[in-house]
PDB file of all heavy atoms in Angstrom:
ATOM      1  N   PHE Z 751     -61.230  38.629 -26.891  1.00 98.00           N
ATOM      2  CA  PHE Z 751     -62.381  37.742 -26.714  1.00 98.00           C
ATOM      3  C   PHE Z 751     -61.960  36.367 -27.199  1.00 98.00           C
ATOM      4  O   PHE Z 751     -61.625  36.184 -28.371  1.00 98.00           O
ATOM      5  CB  PHE Z 751     -63.592  38.234 -27.514  1.00 98.00           C
ATOM      6  CG  PHE Z 751     -64.765  37.294 -27.439  1.00 98.00           C
ATOM      7  CD1 PHE Z 751     -65.668  37.386 -26.386  1.00 98.00           C
ATOM      8  CD2 PHE Z 751     -64.951  36.310 -28.399  1.00 98.00           C
ATOM      9  CE1 PHE Z 751     -66.745  36.498 -26.306  1.00 98.00           C
ATOM     10  CE2 PHE Z 751     -66.018  35.426 -28.331  1.00 98.00           C
ATOM     11  CZ  PHE Z 751     -66.919  35.522 -27.276  1.00 98.00           C
ATOM     12  N   TRP Z 755     -65.118  30.983 -25.639  1.00 96.00           N
ATOM     13  CA  TRP Z 755     -66.355  31.510 -25.066  1.00 96.00           C
ATOM     14  C   TRP Z 755     -67.456  31.478 -26.123  1.00 96.00           C
ATOM     15  O   TRP Z 755     -67.208  31.699 -27.311  1.00 96.00           O
ATOM     16  CB  TRP Z 755     -66.155  32.939 -24.574  1.00 96.00           C
ATOM     17  CG  TRP Z 755     -65.132  33.056 -23.476  1.00 96.00           C
ATOM     18  CD1 TRP Z 755     -64.680  32.064 -22.655  1.00 96.00           C
ATOM     19  CD2 TRP Z 755     -64.427  34.240 -23.101  1.00 96.00           C
ATOM     20  NE1 TRP Z 755     -63.749  32.554 -21.769  1.00 96.00           N
ATOM     21  CE2 TRP Z 755     -63.570  33.894 -22.013  1.00 96.00           C
ATOM     22  CE3 TRP Z 755     -64.438  35.554 -23.541  1.00 96.00           C
ATOM     23  CZ2 TRP Z 755     -62.738  34.822 -21.386  1.00 96.00           C
ATOM     24  CZ3 TRP Z 755     -63.620  36.478 -22.923  1.00 96.00           C
ATOM     25  CH2 TRP Z 755     -62.772  36.107 -21.857  1.00 96.00           C
ATOM     26  N   ALA Z 756     -68.678  31.230 -25.710  1.00 97.00           N
ATOM     27  CA  ALA Z 756     -69.805  31.099 -26.640  1.00 97.00           C
ATOM     28  C   ALA Z 756     -70.014  32.392 -27.432  1.00 97.00           C
ATOM     29  O   ALA Z 756     -69.897  33.495 -26.882  1.00 97.00           O
ATOM     30  CB  ALA Z 756     -71.081  30.749 -25.881  1.00 97.00           C
ATOM     31  N   PRO Z 757     -70.325  32.286 -28.720  1.00 97.00           N
ATOM     32  CA  PRO Z 757     -70.505  33.495 -29.541  1.00 97.00           C
ATOM     33  C   PRO Z 757     -71.556  34.454 -28.994  1.00 97.00           C
ATOM     34  O   PRO Z 757     -71.411  35.677 -29.157  1.00 97.00           O
ATOM     35  CB  PRO Z 757     -70.928  32.923 -30.907  1.00 97.00           C
ATOM     36  CG  PRO Z 757     -70.352  31.554 -30.940  1.00 97.00           C
ATOM     37  CD  PRO Z 757     -70.419  31.048 -29.531  1.00 97.00           C
ATOM     38  N   GLU Z 758     -72.591  33.928 -28.362  1.00 97.00           N
ATOM     39  CA  GLU Z 758     -73.659  34.806 -27.866  1.00 97.00           C
ATOM     40  C   GLU Z 758     -73.207  35.697 -26.707  1.00 97.00           C
ATOM     41  O   GLU Z 758     -73.927  36.630 -26.324  1.00 97.00           O
ATOM     42  CB  GLU Z 758     -74.885  33.986 -27.459  1.00 97.00           C
ATOM     43  CG  GLU Z 758     -74.643  32.937 -26.395  1.00 97.00           C
ATOM     44  CD  GLU Z 758     -74.307  31.578 -26.991  1.00 97.00           C
ATOM     45  OE1 GLU Z 758     -73.819  31.526 -28.154  1.00 97.00           O
ATOM     46  OE2 GLU Z 758     -74.535  30.570 -26.289  1.00 97.00           O
ATOM     47  N   THR Z 759     -72.014  35.424 -26.153  1.00 98.00           N
ATOM     48  CA  THR Z 759     -71.503  36.294 -25.091  1.00 98.00           C
ATOM     49  C   THR Z 759     -70.669  37.447 -25.643  1.00 98.00           C
ATOM     50  O   THR Z 759     -70.252  38.325 -24.886  1.00 98.00           O
ATOM     51  CB  THR Z 759     -70.637  35.487 -24.100  1.00 98.00           C
ATOM     52  OG1 THR Z 759     -69.443  35.023 -24.764  1.00 98.00           O
ATOM     53  CG2 THR Z 759     -71.406  34.284 -23.555  1.00 98.00           C
ATOM     54  N   LEU Z 760     -70.429  37.449 -26.944  1.00 98.00           N
ATOM     55  CA  LEU Z 760     -69.509  38.423 -27.529  1.00 98.00           C
ATOM     56  C   LEU Z 760     -70.003  39.857 -27.414  1.00 98.00           C
ATOM     57  O   LEU Z 760     -69.263  40.745 -26.963  1.00 98.00           O
ATOM     58  CB  LEU Z 760     -69.254  38.085 -29.001  1.00 98.00           C
ATOM     59  CG  LEU Z 760     -68.453  39.112 -29.814  1.00 98.00           C
ATOM     60  CD1 LEU Z 760     -67.085  39.333 -29.200  1.00 98.00           C
ATOM     61  CD2 LEU Z 760     -68.320  38.659 -31.270  1.00 98.00           C
ATOM     62  N   LEU Z 761     -71.220  40.134 -27.820  1.00 98.00           N
ATOM     63  CA  LEU Z 761     -71.660  41.527 -27.887  1.00 98.00           C
ATOM     64  C   LEU Z 761     -71.726  42.197 -26.518  1.00 98.00           C
ATOM     65  O   LEU Z 761     -71.291  43.350 -26.383  1.00 98.00           O
ATOM     66  CB  LEU Z 761     -73.000  41.623 -28.618  1.00 98.00           C
ATOM     67  CG  LEU Z 761     -72.940  41.243 -30.112  1.00 98.00           C
ATOM     68  CD1 LEU Z 761     -74.254  41.584 -30.792  1.00 98.00           C
ATOM     69  CD2 LEU Z 761     -71.784  41.940 -30.812  1.00 98.00           C
ATOM     70  N   PRO Z 762     -72.249  41.530 -25.477  1.00 98.00           N
ATOM     71  CA  PRO Z 762     -72.195  42.176 -24.163  1.00 98.00           C
ATOM     72  C   PRO Z 762     -70.764  42.488 -23.717  1.00 98.00           C
ATOM     73  O   PRO Z 762     -70.514  43.543 -23.112  1.00 98.00           O
ATOM     74  CB  PRO Z 762     -72.859  41.148 -23.234  1.00 98.00           C
ATOM     75  CG  PRO Z 762     -73.734  40.338 -24.122  1.00 98.00           C
ATOM     76  CD  PRO Z 762     -73.016  40.268 -25.429  1.00 98.00           C
ATOM     77  N   LEU Z 763     -69.824  41.608 -24.028  1.00 98.00           N
ATOM     78  CA  LEU Z 763     -68.439  41.853 -23.649  1.00 98.00           C
ATOM     79  C   LEU Z 763     -67.817  42.967 -24.497  1.00 98.00           C
ATOM     80  O   LEU Z 763     -67.020  43.760 -23.998  1.00 98.00           O
ATOM     81  CB  LEU Z 763     -67.627  40.569 -23.778  1.00 98.00           C
ATOM     82  CG  LEU Z 763     -67.983  39.474 -22.770  1.00 98.00           C
ATOM     83  CD1 LEU Z 763     -67.163  38.214 -23.034  1.00 98.00           C
ATOM     84  CD2 LEU Z 763     -67.770  39.955 -21.342  1.00 98.00           C
ATOM     85  N   ALA Z 764     -68.182  43.033 -25.768  1.00 98.00           N
ATOM     86  CA  ALA Z 764     -67.686  44.119 -26.617  1.00 98.00           C
ATOM     87  C   ALA Z 764     -68.180  45.467 -26.102  1.00 98.00           C
ATOM     88  O   ALA Z 764     -67.413  46.445 -26.037  1.00 98.00           O
ATOM     89  CB  ALA Z 764     -68.129  43.906 -28.058  1.00 98.00           C
TER      90      ALA Z 764
END
Side-chain angles (χ1 to χ4, degrees):
F751 176 86
W755 298 340
E758 58 268 24
T759 66
L760 172 59
L761 294 189
L763 292 177

